[in-house]
Structures are given as structure tokens and as C-alpha cells.
Amino acid sequence: MSDGSKMEYNFSLIEKKWQEDWKKNQVYKVENDFSRPKYYVLDMFPYPSGAGLHVGHPLGYIASDIYARYKRLKGFNVLHPMGYDAFGLPAEQYAIDHGIHPASSTEQNIENFRSQLDNIGFCYDWSREVRTCEPSFYKWTQWIFLQLFDSWYDHKKNKAEPIKKLQLIFQRNGNRECPCPGDGSIHFSEADWKSFDDRRQQEILMLYRLAYCGYGEVNWCEALGTVLANDEVINGVSERGGFPVVKKKLRQWYLRITEYADRLLDGLNKVDFSDAMKEMQSNWIGKSEGAEITFEVVSNDMLNSELKVYTTRPDTIFGVDFMVVAPEHELIESITTNSEKKSVETYIAYVKSRSERERMAEKKISGCFTGAYAINPFDKRKIPIWISEYVLAGYGTGAIMGVPCGDERDHKFAMHFNISITNIIGRYYTGETANPTKDAVLENSDFLNGMIMKDAIPVVNNELEKRGMGKRKVNYKMRDAAFSRQRYWGEPFPIVWKEGIAHALPVNELPVELPYLDDLKPGPGGEGPLANLDEWKRYQEGIREVNTMPGYAGSSWYFFRYMDPHNKEVFCDRNISDYWNQVDLYIGGTEHAVGHLLYSRMWTKVLFDLGFVSFDEPYKKLVNQGKIGGDSRLVYRVHGTNEFVSAGLKDIHHTDEIHVDVSIVDGIELDISEFKKLKPEYDDATFILENGKYYCGSRLEKMSKRYFNVVNPDDIVLKYGADTFRMYEMFLGPVEQDKPWDTKGIEGVHRFLKKFWRLFFDDIKGKVWTEEQPTDAEWKILHKTIKKIEEDTERFSFNTAVSAFMVCVNELHDLKCFKKPILEPLVIMLTPYAPHISEELFHILGNSTTVLNATFPDLKDQYLIESSKNYPVSVNGKVRTQLDIRLDATQEQVEKLIHSNEIIAKWLDGKSPKKIIYVRNKMINVVV
RNA sequence: GCCCAGAUGGCGGAAUUGGUAGACGCGUCAGACUCAAAAUCUGGUUUUCGCAAGAAAGUGCAGGUUCGAUUCCUGUUCUGGGCACCA
């Protein structure tokens, strides 16, 4: 390269040159070097959609890239990989609609993603790339699934254990010490167990397995031959075609994630996630502590059966005026009296006719009396048992005790059906609305009278347990996660069915490869497309599982595979996972709060329990990047005409607004000639202008093709370069925050980089940088900047770090400081933010090695001590002077400074200060 | 309805632990260079009053704590996000 071409900042040349160099020399390849301190920076890997990346997507990637490069400069061995979450529904839908096989559309999309990512200059170690749809990857997805299938949760040890151990326990003790998580009503002795045939034994084991197959309710549409999602069913008929849809119990695979509810909740205390994220996860888990109370039931004047209810407020037991059971409750048939039979049947038929949607949307009060009564276990009062859809079958026992004075829903129900209300909280209940307080003193409550409600809770619990009428109980909102899909584009299950019993395939037969299938129509009886492949289905004397795993299977463990991506023997070598350990920094969107993040946390805990890894929380710190919104541009057409009116004048006409492509608008000014070319109908459009210009309206909304507001990073990189793009995305605002994209603002950052370049080369003079020794003032600028950039990078405040660079360069320009001892550390500090220009300048300064091997510059304290401002104030009659001092000042330096400070010296008048108070590490109060 | 987060110039945002509010950038105004434009450089830019020096007000709203509050506390309004008959 000649000196002449170095004169001006030619970003496209520089970026191309260094990207090729990085690739050729495999600069970012990472070794599993156990002798070095490690740091693991991970992005949530993308789903390679056909739309490609817009400027919003790389935000998190840039932040993690900066941090990874920063940690590398700090001397860490940094694992920073990337891959693709490549299995899933959208690719399959696309295939069905467009006739392209998901394997090839996925391949194409990945290629496109890769070129877009490469453009931005990330430091990923691509030799560790993973794709969840590759057999070499999903072999281990299947293998981990088999570990889940072969395990159960031992509540005594509070961990997962191999199912073999459970079989031994059953042989010795039956299940009296291991209550069945799948069906609490199953009890058997060791003798019973031995008497069960193999089939029965396997059925029972299935109820314990962490990955299990059971029956769940789904929307089944016979005419379409498929299962439909809730939102595809409207008023009991299918959205497409209007065919009848019925609720049907179908065989489904599940993850028994509920067994990990407590540990998933507790684990939140030892990870660094945002409070909002922790909140979302703990709400989803929905732990509540209460009691399960058993009521005797009288029907047709005879003692009939028992009804269990779950309540978090056992203290209100004497305020119970009615019981409500869910319409699906199994007791309904047996307890309904002859006289009520008809109305109960009518009510249940009504409930069944309503879709989940209607039920949730309307929330109207409905219900029906069963004719039966429950007996209050303490005062033996008869309590009517009702049925209502506001009680959910799936939570607690599917039955509640109605306490109208304390619960608003119960109150509304009682008012609606004219049930008399017992007041147990005195003046706290006005008769108008319920009061859920725990602070009231109980009345009308037998042995609890005079007690404060919250104190009464343990008293009642003790009494219930003493009398055997109930017990303390913890409940969770979280349900087991459905794990099978009747779809093609996913991992096949390594399972074979023989006579109704699921068998794991031997590990040496993994992976079970997904057979190539052209026609992706569903199979018979609600099964997936794989069911159409008779030959593939048959496996010895059994039949393969034809469902596939859901999209979240591969993403639940992929972070392990990056550590040891090419291992053919295990999913990840234990020594290697011990070294890389937890992901130190995980960056991704909030949309995965309760899906991916919970599943991957659970899988890690299982692998930990079974001894395959040494930690049970996968992510040490999680940062959620915000979304970048599109800034749409709107034009206004006078209704019914072809005349467009400028935004400021739109209100005086009756107009329709139309989105216009942001690329033909400069700021808010429309390029009318470009606009006319958009559509033939616009060709003869007329315009009402303001000041001779057509101004567009604007609106912030989601970046989407539909709104013509998508900005492609490729276009930005082409115009301004990757370094400008990276820095601008960071400069936009805090990483965690949602913010709008504004292409105009990018000029400022671009100017900064050009100015940075001019510290080295002048347009006219050429080379300006020298080997000269800097002055103290110049050192101070450098050290101030090092400190600021280091602190800001460390605390993820990349926007203020970029500002600090700008300030520094402006100051150096003002001082005309082009000295190598100042410039070189600056280039190194800029590396994480703008890697290409840094490499080039570092190379020019005469270092033969790349910036990669450089270290983040050390601080020299002596240039940091300075006094800034001081404020004399009067506190409680004493005169104080406050003094701002650099953070790192030592006691000695402070005292020296105090005596040399003009104002303080005047106050002191030669005497010593009475007192020096360190208010903060930055503020010092001197009392005279 | 419940839970969480936020509200600062024309705009994006800064102020790290209570210490000169508005860093940095955009936009804009004025000037330099230029025949002109681009690029670059210099200066101004919270509001009101003032020729100016300067003065007063000012971080959604109303209070409170403090020598001092964008920051802490109480109440309130609005905006964004999450959950939603979970007993």
C-alpha cells in the first residue's frame, strides 16, 4: 500500500483487508488452553429466517463482541462462538407454502446470515459453529433426551437419579417413600411391584420419568386430519374451512420440568439476571404456599365421598359459604343429586361448547349447584357445592372453598347466586366488596376468634394436620412442558414403541437421522409427516416414534457443544466443560424469558445431577438487549384522489395515510421523483407542498417489511463502514433499552472515525504522527480516557464509552497532539469498538503483531490526581468547604491538595483544618 | 385487575454511591475557506427577561427528608413491557 492511499480513511479497503487477514490466519480461533483464565461470552443464536438481518438484530451481537474483545485485551482466553437454531416450524411452513425443502431453505438462509454477520467484523470462532439441524449435533440432543427419559427426580436427595435406582427402591419398598409425580393416587408395596407384569411396571415408571409420554388435551380437527393450536380454533370450528374441532386427549411427550420448579426458583438467587427477568420467571413458576383441606361430602342425604380443596388462606375456614369445583372435576358425576342432574348436565354441555378463548375473554359469572354439600371439618356446617368455570381443573385440586368476604371472585359469585355471606373480619368487610386483608381480627371463627388472620394460618394448619383433615401444600402454576410436535422439521425421538411400551434406542444407534421427505403433509390420526413413511417407521418388531422434538430442544443445551464442538464420543468432554464452565455473559432478547431460559436451565440441572457437568446454572450473567424500532415514514393521500398532501397540511383534508419506503425519504423530506417510480399509479400523482417541499409524517413502530421501514446493515456498512455501524449502534443509547433507528445520526460517529484517522494522517501533509514525548496535559487526557473507557466497558455502558472516545479525540485535536505514546494505547482501546481501523492503525504504528495480542493499556495514576471545583457551604452553623477530587487520590495527596487549594487556604488562614470528612470517594468535606 | 420498568432541551441520550443538570451526538443558527458545492474548521444553541454583564425558573405532577435531590421517601398522572379467573 502506498503512502498516498493511506492519506484518507478508506474504510472499505481497510475492512476488506483485515477481514481477509483474520480469516486467512484464523485469528479468532480459540484453544481449550486450561492454563489461561477463561471467559465465555455467548449470544443467543439466531433462527435463520428468510428475511435476513435488519439493523436491530446485531445490537446484542455488537455488545457481546465488544465485551469479548475487551476481555481478550485483558488477557482472558475468550470463548465467543456463534451458530444457528435451525430446526423449527417457520422453515417447515415456508416449505409447505413455497415448495422448497426446509433443509435447502435453511442452508440458503444460513449463508445469507453468515455474509451479513461477516460484514460487521465479529470475532467469532467459526470453527466452533453449531447447527441444531445437523445430525452430528442432534445426535447429542437425542442422547440428552434419553438421559431425561432414563431419569426420575428423587425428592429425598433433591436431584435427578437414574431410573434403575427407582426400580431397586420399588423392589425393596414399593413407592411409599417416592410418591408418584404423575399420579398421586398410585400407591403400591414391594409385593405389589413384584406382582405387576412388565407392562404395568413400565407404565408406572413412565409416570416418574423426566421425559415422559402421557395423554394431554389438544384441539383435534378430524376433517383437516390435524391438531390445531388454540388460536386456530374459533367458536368451536377450525379457522380454516370451519370444520368442527373437538377436545381430544392425545399421546404427547412432556418434560417433567415441574419437578425442578423449586430449584429453578432458588437458582435465580445465584445468577445475575435483571430483576424484571427474575420476576417473569418466578411469576411463571408461580409458587404458592397453602393447605390442602379435605371436606366430607353429603349427597342425597348420604355420606358420599371426600372433596379436597387447595387454599392459601386456611385462616378463612370459618368464612366458607360455598364450594366450587371445576366443570371437569371427576367427583361431579357421583355427587350430583337426582334433582340437580338435569341442570348440571346442561351447564357442563354449555361449558364444553365454549372455547378456551371465549372463556378467557368474557369472564362472565356462571355456575350450577350440584345438590351436594361439603361438611366444614371444624364446625360441621353444611356447605353447598357448586360447579363453575372460573375454577380451573389443572391447578391445585380443581376445587376451591368460596370465602366471599375475603375474595373478590367468590364475592361476585355469592352475590350473583344469592348465597348468604358470613363475615369473619368485622368492620373490614363492608358488604360491598371483598377484602383480602391478612391483618383483620377474626370473628365468627370458633377457636380462632380474636386472632389476627396471618397468625391464624399456622394454627389452622397445625390443627388440620393433627386431626388428619388436611396438610400444608405447595403449589406451582407452571405445568410440564409439551415436548412433541406432529411436524417434520425437528429432531426425531430415539424411541421405539413395542406393544405400547416406549423403549430407548441404544446409544450406538444415535443419531436417529431425520429421513428426507418431500411431501410434508400430516400423517393419519394426528401424527406428523414421518408417520407416512412406513418403511422408516418399522424398526425390528416395533414402531418408531413419529413425532419430532420442538424448536427449543437443541437450544436447551447448545452452549455446551461450543466448548467441544467436534467430539464424537460425548456431547462435551467433562474436562473441557469444567474449564469453560458457566457462560459468563449471555446476551439475548427478553422474548425467551420463560421458554428457552427455563428449559436450558432445567437441562443443565439434569446434566449436573447426573454428573455430566459440574455446574447447575448455565448462565452467570444475562443481559437483555433492547429492540431497535423502525422509524416509519408516512404520506397522506387525499381520500379518493391521487393527490398527496404534505404532513403539516394533512389535517385540513380528509386523507388516508400510506407507508412509504424509508430509503426514498431524506429525513422527513420525500424524494418525489423516486416516489413516482414506486408504483404505476403514483406516476401522475399530484402534490400539495409546504415551502416547496413534501414532508412525510413519521411514526415509531416495529421494524418490519410491512411498514417499509427495514434498514439492512449491509447498506449501512457499504456507505459508512462496519466500524461506524458498530459504534453508532452502541452510541444510540443503553444496550438494554428499546430505541428507534435514525440513520441521520450516524454521520456524527463517522466524523469521529475520520477525525481519529486524521490524528495519524492529514489530507495534505500525509503522515502527522510522531515519536515525540507527550506533555503532562496530554498524558492526563489519555489516562482520563483509559479510566473512563475501562469503567464504561466493564459496566456495559457502551454509549458513554463512545462519547468518551469523541471527547478524547477532540481534545487531542485541539492540542495538535499526534504523538505515538498517546495514540498507540488509544488505538488498542478502540479495538473492541472499531476493530478494523484499529488493526490498520496499529499496523501502521509499526507493530508487527496484531492488536489481538496487545493488552488493554495500564493506568498511570500520577496524571489522574486533580482538584476540580469547590463549594463553600454552611452546615449546622459550621463552615465547610467541599472539594471535588479524583477518585484515586490517596490520603497524602488529598491533604497536600487541601493546603494548596486557594479557597481552602483562605478559610484556613495558615491553620490546620478541624476535620476532613470523606463523604464519598469523590467528595471531601473540610471543616474549618 | 395484578406485577415490573420508565418519564430530563427541537431529537437520541449523559450525570457511576445524593454534590456545578443537559456530557457526547443529531438538528439548527452564525462565521471561516470556496466562483459555488462538498468536505473541514470556529462559535452559539433548556426556557424567560436583558443590548450586555447578568438574573430567575427548570429533570411528568403534588408534597417530604437533606446544607444540597434527576438521584432517597409518600402520593399521583402518563407511557412501555410482562401476567391474567392460579384460589
Side-chain angles (χ1 to χ4, degrees):
Chain A
M1 201 185 264
S2 75
D3 257 8
S5 62
K6 278 182 192 167
M7 296 295 182
E8 66 183 43
Y9 173 39
N10 188 337
F11 55 84
S12 48
L13 221 66
I14 292 170
E15 286 172 9
K16 204 167 159 243
K17 172 181 163 188
W18 287 104
Q19 282 176 9
E20 274 167 15
D21 178 86
W22 295 341
K23 206 169 190 171
K24 199 179 88 203
N25 298 318
Q26 298 196 56
V27 166
Y28 297 117
K29 197 164 165 25
V30 182
E31 301 299 331
N32 298 330
D33 178 356
F34 296 176
S35 67
R36 296 177 59 202
K38 69 95 192 186
Y39 204 89
Y40 188 177
V41 182
L42 183 64
D43 293 296
M44 288 186 188
F45 63 169
Y47 183 86
S49 77
L53 297 171
H54 62 63
V55 289
H57 294 115
L59 183 72
Y61 302 157
I62 295 168
S64 65
D65 195 73
I66 287 171
Y67 206 71
R69 287 175 183 270
Y70 168 75
K71 279 285 168 185
R72 197 172 285 147
L73 288 175
K74 284 292 214 176
F76 289 89
N77 191 24
V78 178
L79 179 57
H80 187 221
M82 184 45 102
Y84 304 96
D85 187 14
F87 264 143
L89 209 65
E92 186 165 351
Q93 266 331 98
Y94 189 85
I96 292 167
D97 294 345
H98 295 87
I100 300 169
H101 193 271
S104 56
S105 65
T106 300
E107 179 76 36
Q108 279 168 25
N109 293 345
I110 286 177
E111 230 169 84
N112 180 36
F113 264 61
R114 176 65 191 273
S115 96
Q116 284 189 298
L117 290 173
D118 280 350
N119 251 337
I120 303 168
F122 293 119
C123 63
Y124 296 122
D125 177 357
W126 284 107
S127 74
R128 292 176 185 252
E129 177 193 311
V130 301
R131 298 179 186 189
T132 55
C133 65
E134 293 278 335
S136 61
F137 181 89
Y138 68 69
K139 169 179 180 177
W140 300 107
T141 310
Q142 292 170 340
W143 179 85
I144 296 172
F145 168 81
L146 289 182
Q147 304 310 307
L148 290 157
F149 177 73
D150 258 330
S151 307
W152 63 291
Y153 200 84
D154 184 340
H155 283 271
K156 281 195 167 155
K157 293 183 179 164
N158 220 358
K159 65 193 274 272
E161 288 277 357
I163 207 93
K164 274 191 187 126
K165 288 201 183 175
L166 186 63
Q167 284 170 299
L168 290 174
I169 291 169
F170 287 166
Q171 275 167 30
R172 275 200 299 269
N173 279 319
N175 80 335
R176 65 180 73 89
E177 286 180 3
C178 311
C180 179
D183 182 350
S185 67
I186 290 182
H187 303 283
F188 54 86
S189 67
E190 57 278 17
D192 294 336
W193 176 254
K194 282 167 197 158
S195 73
F196 294 152
D197 60 11
D198 183 50
R199 184 192 191 80
R200 180 68 189 141
Q201 287 191 350
Q202 287 300 330
E203 274 171 15
I204 288 169
L205 290 177
M206 191 61 107
L207 295 168
Y208 284 81
R209 294 179 190 274
L210 290 179
Y212 67 95
C213 194
Y215 282 83
E217 267 199 353
V218 291
N219 303 307
W220 173 251
C221 179
E222 188 60 46
L224 294 173
T226 183
V227 169
L228 296 175
N230 282 337
D231 59 312
E232 293 171 319
V233 184
I234 292 167
N235 296 327
V237 297
S238 66
E239 187 183 17
R240 279 188 200 172
F243 302 111
V245 172
V246 290
K247 288 260 180 194
K248 194 174 177 181
K249 286 207 161 184
L250 266 186
R251 201 175 51 78
Q252 298 282 322
W253 285 91
Y254 292 90
L255 294 182
R256 209 180 293 282
I257 192 169
T258 47
E259 293 284 60
Y260 278 88
D262 253 323
R263 279 174 64 192
L264 289 169
L265 202 56
D266 291 345
L268 292 175
N269 294 322
K270 55 182 179 183
V271 293
D272 184 3
F273 294 5
S274 70
D275 289 342
M277 174 61 62
K278 288 185 180 181
E279 189 83 19
M280 265 190 253
Q281 294 203 4
S282 61
N283 282 348
W284 183 261
I285 294 166
K287 182 176 183 170
S288 73
E289 290 175 43
E292 199 172 278
I293 306 176
T294 308
F295 292 76
E296 288 184 326
V297 177
V298 174
S299 170
N300 294 323
D301 291 326
M302 289 177 4
L303 198 60
N304 175 296
S305 52
E306 287 182 342
L307 177 66
K308 282 183 166 45
V309 302
Y310 175 72
T311 179
T312 52
R313 298 297 302 276
D315 52 311
T316 61
I317 183 79
F318 294 101
V320 178
D321 292 314
F322 57 95
M323 297 289 194
V324 189
V325 299
E328 298 85 359
H329 201 281
E330 51 186 8
L331 231 49
I332 290 174
E333 211 183 307
S334 61
I335 65 169
T336 302
T337 57
N338 300 333
S339 56
E340 301 295 330
K341 204 153 216 125
K342 208 154 183 153
S343 58
V344 167
E345 277 168 11
T346 313
Y347 182 68
I348 292 190
Y350 158 79
V351 171
K352 275 197 173 156
S353 75
R354 279 156 63 79
S355 69
E356 201 77 8
R357 245 183 181 203
E358 289 172 294
R359 226 169 122 164
M360 290 201 290
E362 290 176 24
K363 281 189 192 173
K364 62 181 180 188
I365 301 166
S366 72
C368 172
F369 180 46
T370 60
Y373 292 88
I375 308 297
N376 187 312
F378 292 114
D379 65 7
K380 307 296 174 195
R381 201 148 46 114
K382 279 175 76 182
I383 308 162
I385 301 175
W386 288 69
I387 304 168
S388 177
E389 57 182 338
Y390 84 88
V391 173
L392 305 175
Y395 184 76
T397 60
I400 63 154
M401 54 185 218
V403 183
C405 73
D407 183 284
E408 192 48 41
R409 290 157 307 173
D410 295 347
H411 192 258
K412 285 198 177 125
F413 192 83
M415 297 297 262
H416 189 261
F417 290 108
N418 266 320
I419 300 168
S420 69
I421 295 170
T422 308
N423 181 12
I424 54 165
I425 51 176
R427 63 184 172 83
Y428 282 83
Y429 175 62
T430 57
E432 294 287 311
T433 54
N435 186 339
T437 179
K438 284 185 181 176
D439 300 321
V441 176
L442 285 160
E443 298 176 10
N444 296 326
S445 290
D446 203 305
F447 67 97
L448 300 173
N449 280 334
M451 241 183 256
I452 294 176
M453 297 179 97
K454 55 184 165 206
D455 301 332
I457 293 173
V459 176
V460 178
N461 283 340
N462 288 341
E463 200 59 28
L464 285 169
E465 282 174 357
K466 204 170 90 189
R467 301 196 196 183
M469 299 184 306
K471 57 177 192 236
R472 286 179 170 81
K473 178 89 200 253
V474 173
N475 259 321
Y476 302 92
K477 288 185 200 171
M478 186 169 65
R479 306 291 145 80
D480 283 342
F483 194 69
S484 48
R485 299 288 181 266
Q486 295 72 43
R487 288 293 187 156
Y488 168 72
W489 193 236
E491 301 87 346
F493 283 81
I495 292 287
V496 167
W497 292 91
K498 288 177 193 162
E499 291 162 10
I501 298 169
H503 295 268
L505 282 170
V507 171
N508 61 23
E509 294 194 23
L510 300 183
V512 177
E513 288 207 31
L514 182 65
Y516 190 87
L517 196 52
D518 260 329
D519 188 355
L520 303 182
K521 68 172 192 285
E527 293 187 308
L530 291 179
N532 296 326
L533 282 171
D534 283 331
E535 213 165 293
W536 178 81
K537 245 165 72 179
R538 273 195 298 277
Y539 178 91
Q540 295 168 8
E541 62 273 30
I543 292 173
R544 287 182 194 274
E545 172 62 61
V546 292
N547 280 324
T548 54
M549 297 188 198
Y552 65 80
S555 62
S556 293
W557 75 280
Y558 75 113
F559 43 91
F560 286 116
R561 192 61 180 171
Y562 286 132
M563 301 177 185
D564 192 12
H566 309 295
N567 198 321
K568 292 203 166 89
E569 308 305 317
V570 289
F571 74 100
C572 177
D573 184 274
R574 175 65 190 261
N575 289 322
I576 294 172
S577 69
D578 279 358
Y579 170 65
W580 288 114
N581 217 272
Q582 284 172 292
V583 174
D584 294 282
L585 173 65
Y586 196 30
I587 297 194
T590 37
E591 64 271 22
H592 300 107
V594 294
H596 161 64
L597 285 168
L598 278 179
Y599 300 130
S600 53
R601 290 180 61 215
M602 176 205 170
W603 282 40
T604 305
K605 285 174 194 302
V606 175
L607 291 171
F608 169 79
D609 289 351
L610 299 177
F612 295 113
V613 296
S614 59
F615 48 94
D616 84 331
E617 281 293 342
Y619 320 114
K620 206 178 210 166
K621 180 182 171 73
L622 173 70
V623 170
N624 300 113
Q625 91 273 22
K627 290 181 186 64
I628 292 187
D631 193 2
S632 303
R633 290 292 177 264
L634 304 159
V635 294
Y636 304 92
R637 180 162 59 188
V638 179
H639 188 69
T641 70
N642 204 12
E643 181 159 61
F644 292 82
V645 55
S646 185
L649 307 168
K650 73 174 163 49
D651 290 339
I652 51 176
H653 297 86
H654 174 48
T655 56
D656 303 315
E657 61 176 40
I658 299 168
H659 277 87
V660 58
D661 198 315
V662 289
S663 63
I664 62 161
V665 183
D666 180 20
I668 57 166
E669 190 191 337
L670 182 71
D671 185 332
I672 290 176
S673 62
E674 283 297 317
F675 178 73
K676 285 187 170 187
K677 289 183 208 155
L678 275 187
K679 284 186 186 176
E681 56 184 282
Y682 295 157
D683 197 35
D684 55 351
T686 55
F687 300 87
I688 302 176
L689 307 176
E690 287 174 83
N691 308 324
K693 288 169 178 172
Y694 189 99
Y695 294 119
C696 297
S698 65
R699 184 189 299 149
L700 297 177
E701 53 200 346
K702 198 173 157 254
M703 203 169 269
S704 160
K705 268 186 181 167
R706 178 159 50 120
Y707 303 133
F708 301 105
N709 60 3
V710 174
V711 181
N712 187 333
D714 289 347
D715 297 338
I716 302 293
V717 168
L718 193 69
K719 192 160 175 202
Y720 299 101
D723 287 342
T724 300
F725 175 66
R726 291 167 60 106
M727 285 194 98
Y728 182 57
E729 288 239 338
M730 293 299 101
F731 185 68
L732 231 37
V735 180
E736 297 92 334
Q737 197 171 295
D738 288 353
K739 47 202 165 261
W741 175 264
D742 170 21
T743 301
K744 277 229 139 181
I746 201 167
E747 300 278 357
V749 174
H750 193 57
R751 268 197 280 271
F752 157 75
L753 283 177
K754 283 196 282 190
K755 200 164 181 178
F756 192 80
W757 184 263
R758 286 203 306 275
L759 288 173
F760 297 81
F761 295 103
D762 190 283
D763 287 352
I764 303 148
K765 285 183 276 179
K767 172 177 177 291
V768 291
W769 63 276
T770 66
E771 308 266 359
E772 243 178 295
Q773 270 308 302
T775 64
D776 278 4
E778 288 161 352
W779 278 120
K780 201 144 99 182
I781 290 170
L782 176 68
H783 286 133
K784 187 180 72 183
T785 308
I786 293 174
K787 190 171 177 67
K788 177 80 176 146
I789 303 285
E790 187 168 357
E791 280 171 1
D792 285 350
T793 306
E794 202 73 67
R795 71 185 172 108
F796 274 78
S797 182
F798 302 127
N799 53 332
T800 52
V802 174
S803 295
F805 274 119
M806 291 176 173
V807 171
C808 177
V809 167
N810 284 338
E811 288 178 4
L812 292 179
H813 255 279
D814 289 348
L815 292 174
K816 300 204 183 323
C817 169
F818 310 116
K819 298 167 183 170
K820 187 177 169 185
I822 299 286
L823 296 180
E824 194 172 310
L826 217 57
V827 169
I828 292 170
M829 283 197 296
L830 190 70
T831 311
Y833 292 86
H836 307 89
I837 189 175
S838 302
E839 285 275 18
E840 177 71 11
L841 290 172
F842 201 65
H843 182 72
I844 284 167
L845 285 173
N847 287 284
S848 51
T849 49
T850 62
V851 182
L852 187 75
N853 298 324
T855 53
F856 203 83
D858 279 329
L859 212 57
K860 292 191 184 80
D861 294 340
Q862 62 264 38
Y863 298 106
L864 279 171
I865 311 300
E866 74 177 295
S867 87
S868 50
K869 297 286 194 282
N870 35 55
Y871 326 99
V873 290
S874 166
V875 182
N876 303 330
K878 288 173 195 148
V879 178
R880 282 185 186 188
T881 286
Q882 298 197 346
L883 188 62
D884 250 0
I885 295 195
R886 288 291 328 169
L887 314 175
D888 339 66
T890 64
Q891 178 103 23
E892 234 173 287
Q893 288 165 324
V894 169
E895 298 213 4
K896 206 173 139 198
L897 202 60
I898 285 168
H899 289 286
S900 65
N901 181 281
E902 265 179 51
I903 295 181
I904 297 176
K906 215 171 107 190
W907 282 105
L908 289 173
D909 197 21
K911 286 171 277 194
S912 293
K914 280 190 185 143
K915 210 174 179 188
I916 300 170
I917 307 163
Y918 290 77
V919 178
R920 290 282 174 263
N921 53 7
K922 185 173 166 187
M923 289 297 303
I924 288 150
N925 279 356
V926 182
V927 184
V928 183

